[in-house]
Amino acid sequence: MTKSVDNAVTTKPAAAPVVYVCITCKRPEDADTEPRPGAILAAATMRAADGTEVEVRRLRCLANCTRGPSAAMRCDGSWTYLFGGLDESCAGALIEGARLLARAADGILPWRGRPEVLKRGLIARVPPIDFIALDCEGVDE
């Protein structure tokens, strides 16, 4: 276990990083046509992951409909990151970010070196299931 910058105990990610891409996503102003922009993003992300350790999984709905297309990334023991406002040009950035997350000793995606689209498009960061806060004293509940 390591102590992260957020004063939490996490474990170093052990498994390959996974990028989840919503295939039903579209921008609110997009027509209801097929293929959906999310499916196009998923296909591009799968191509970008070819030859890497990153696994890409297609899924239906990340519940980020107002800021789609969306994708999430995680590794075992890491935080999970949800991104929105993506398109197929972001596929390489998703793979680059997932690889960066996999190398993060504290399970937190570093800001430095993170592709710009993953800085602008961050929706949420969710702690790992085994997250233990070390110091929440003085924090209002």
Side-chain angles (χ1 to χ4, degrees):
M1 285 195 205
T2 56
K3 186 174 176 182
S4 77
V5 295
D6 287 340
N7 285 333
V9 175
T10 60
T11 57
K12 180 175 172 52
V18 180
V19 175
Y20 301 88
V21 183
C22 176
I23 61 170
T24 57
C25 263
K26 65 181 190 73
R27 288 172 279 297
E29 66 274 7
D30 287 343
D32 225 6
T33 60
E34 295 293 332
R36 296 262 183 136
I40 294 168
L41 172 62
T45 306
M46 292 175 96
R47 286 190 302 274
D50 192 36
T52 73
E53 73 283 13
V54 179
E55 180 182 349
V56 178
R57 296 185 189 169
R58 299 161 43 100
L59 55 82
R60 301 177 81 72
C61 199
L62 283 168
N64 188 41
C65 301
T66 61
R67 293 198 49 199
S70 301
M73 68 177 62
R74 66 171 301 281
C75 295
D76 285 348
S78 79
W79 290 66
T80 299
Y81 290 80
L82 176 63
F83 302 96
L86 305 172
D87 61 35
E88 66 184 304
S89 71
C90 303
L94 287 169
I95 301 307
E96 185 180 339
R99 296 180 87 191
L100 190 60
L101 179 60
R103 292 188 304 268
D106 61 1
I108 295 176
L109 182 63
W111 188 259
R112 181 172 292 171
R114 185 186 301 186
E116 193 61 37
V117 70
L118 301 184
K119 291 178 180 178
R120 288 189 322 269
L122 180 63
I123 303 298
R125 180 180 85 163
V126 181
I129 197 81
D130 62 349
F131 177 80
I132 301 168
L134 295 180
D135 183 11
C136 292
E137 201 171 301
V139 176
D140 292 336
E141 294 185 34

